[in-house]
Amino acid sequence: MASSNLAGKLVTLIGGSGFLGTRVAQDLLRKGVRLRVASRDPKKSWHLKPLANLGQLQFAAMDIRNPKSVEAIVAGSDMVVNLVGAFDGDLDAVQGSGAGRAAELAKMAGATAFVHVSAIGANADSEVAYQRSKGIGEQAVTEAFPGATIIRPSIIFGEDDEFLNMFGGLISTLPFLPVFAPDAKLQPVHVEDVAAAIVTVLENPSLAGKTYELAGPEVLTMLELNERIAKSQDRSRGFLALPDFAGRTFAKATGWLPGAPISSDQYEMLSQGNVASGDCPGFAKLGIEPSPMTLFLDRWMTRFRKHGRFHEAGA
């Protein structure tokens, strides 16, 4: 393993037990950092234990809504990465003012770098609560920690994500599927590429202090995405492209119900699309070539095929 200037540094991952956090943790452990993974349920990160050397990995319980718990987990940190996010609940406490407070406490603790994961579409003036809280969080972080880095990924995909697998499951079981916002453009980004970007910023201080938009190399509409997933499953499926009026009406009428497929806010964000604006640097600035989703899709959709790995084309 090549030597890294991160070796021996104490890096704290706030909300590090999730989908993206797991990949960031894996990359950082390979760099030889002393890693503290903090989350509400530390047990969710225990699968990382075999990847660490003795004394290299620590787990800590915290809740970003509780300043005392955040203060405790950032203590002594050389660098802090905030990965906490949510789509419902008190969004300001989690990813708005809560993110700013975490940055402030990290600065007070003496951390030299703070990376905050936001999202493409973050906008403090948005009428959509998720986008608004993300935008407020970005502002609060940069005010509390001058020189902080903001990472705005597009929709993140991976083998065990809740994005491709949700559509994969629906397409494998339903002969006919409505498609919300069928013309909305998406630029999905591989989870491994986002993790690599975060580690690259930590490893290279000259790259810090900027806002990066991280999007994949392929732009797909929602309808094209569904069609590609069906093709990867070798399934023939009927897709009904819902007009905007029908999609909005459905989301408004049913979005408040538990288990509803889409809420009004989610529909609004989807209809806007999720592609890089071009106003911020991206992977090229970080020296990373992002991977296309189609590179992995056939392999990942194997489990949704009629006979799994024993499926024959056209069966």
Side-chain angles (χ1 to χ4, degrees), residues 64-65 70 82 91-103 137 140-141:
I64 200 167
R65 298 169 298 182
V70 178
N82 179 36
L91 296 182
D92 179 69
V94 174
Q95 58 194 22
S97 61
R101 189 180 305 113
V141 165

Side-chain angles (χ1 to χ4, degrees), residues 233-234 305-315:
Q233 294 182 7
D234 196 25
R305 293 173 185 163
K306 187 174 181 180
H307 300 294
R309 294 186 181 279
F310 297 94
H311 175 87
E312 294 181 8

Side-chain angles (χ1 to χ4, degrees), residues 1-314:
M1 179 177 63
S3 176
S4 169
N5 58 12
L6 293 178
K9 301 287 188 181
L10 176 56
V11 180
T12 296
L13 299 184
I14 301 178
S17 64
F19 173 57
L20 175 58
T22 293
R23 271 65 175 197
V24 177
Q26 291 170 344
D27 286 358
L28 287 172
L29 288 171
R30 284 193 287 266
K31 296 291 184 179
V33 307
R34 293 180 294 128
L35 186 64
R36 179 183 292 152
V37 181
S39 63
R40 285 191 295 174
D41 185 0
K43 293 192 296 295
K44 291 183 178 179
S45 299
W46 285 1
H47 61 278
L48 295 169
K49 288 181 179 181
L51 304 180
N53 294 321
L54 183 64
Q56 189 186 7
L57 180 60
Q58 179 186 28
F59 303 100
M62 59 76 64
D63 188 330
I64 200 167
R65 298 169 298 182
N66 182 337
K68 288 294 184 183
S69 73
V70 178
E71 182 180 12
I73 59 98
V74 298
S77 300
D78 294 301
M79 302 173 177
V80 177
V81 179
N82 179 36
L83 298 156
V84 175
F87 287 100
D88 53 29
D90 189 345
L91 296 182
D92 179 69
V94 174
Q95 58 194 22
S97 61
R101 189 180 305 113
E104 179 183 10
L105 293 170
K107 188 68 173 178
M108 291 172 60
T112 59
F114 190 92
V115 176
H116 173 65
V117 177
S118 181
I120 285 179
N123 181 356
D125 298 321
S126 174
E127 295 182 0
V128 179
Y130 175 83
Q131 293 175 326
R132 184 170 62 250
S133 63
K134 281 291 190 182
I136 291 171
E138 289 186 2
Q139 293 178 351
V141 165
T142 53
E143 289 173 6
F145 200 117
T149 301
I150 306 297
I151 300 291
R152 291 178 178 171
S154 182
I155 295 171
I156 302 177
F157 70 87
E159 186 171 10
D160 53 341
D161 66 21
E162 295 180 359
F163 174 63
L164 293 180
N165 284 300
M166 177 186 70
F167 289 114
L170 290 171
I171 290 169
S172 69
T173 55
L174 300 175
F176 189 82
L177 200 66
V179 180
F180 294 95
D183 297 322
K185 292 185 168 101
L186 309 177
Q187 205 168 355
V189 60
H190 192 202
V191 63
E192 303 283 358
D193 295 332
V194 178
I198 292 170
V199 175
T200 297
V201 169
L202 292 176
E203 201 168 20
N204 298 275
S206 63
L207 296 172
K210 301 177 179 65
T211 295
Y212 294 93
E213 287 188 339
L214 303 182
E218 298 174 301
V219 176
L220 303 169
T221 66
M222 272 297 295
L223 181 57
E224 288 171 340
L225 174 65
N226 280 271
E227 289 172 341
R228 287 200 186 186
I229 292 173
K231 182 179 179 181
S232 293
Q233 294 182 7
D234 196 25
R235 293 180 186 277
S236 177
R237 288 292 183 258
F239 294 107
L240 174 63
L242 293 178
D244 186 62
F245 173 77
R248 288 182 185 278
T249 301
F250 181 88
K252 184 176 181 179
T254 66
W256 57 275
L257 293 170
I262 192 168
S263 68
S264 292
D265 273 5
Q266 288 171 332
Y267 184 87
E268 181 60 35
M269 288 190 290
L270 180 60
S271 64
Q272 293 173 14
N274 198 266
V275 299
S277 68
D279 298 332
C280 301
F283 282 115
K285 179 72 173 179
L286 300 172
I288 297 171
E289 185 175 349
S291 302
M293 185 180 66
T294 48
L295 187 66
F296 311 95
L297 203 54
D298 284 354
R299 175 162 52 88
W300 290 348
M301 288 297 115
T302 297
R303 68 189 184 93
F304 292 110
R305 293 173 185 163
K306 187 174 181 180
H307 300 294
R309 294 186 181 279
F310 297 94
H311 175 87
E312 294 181 8

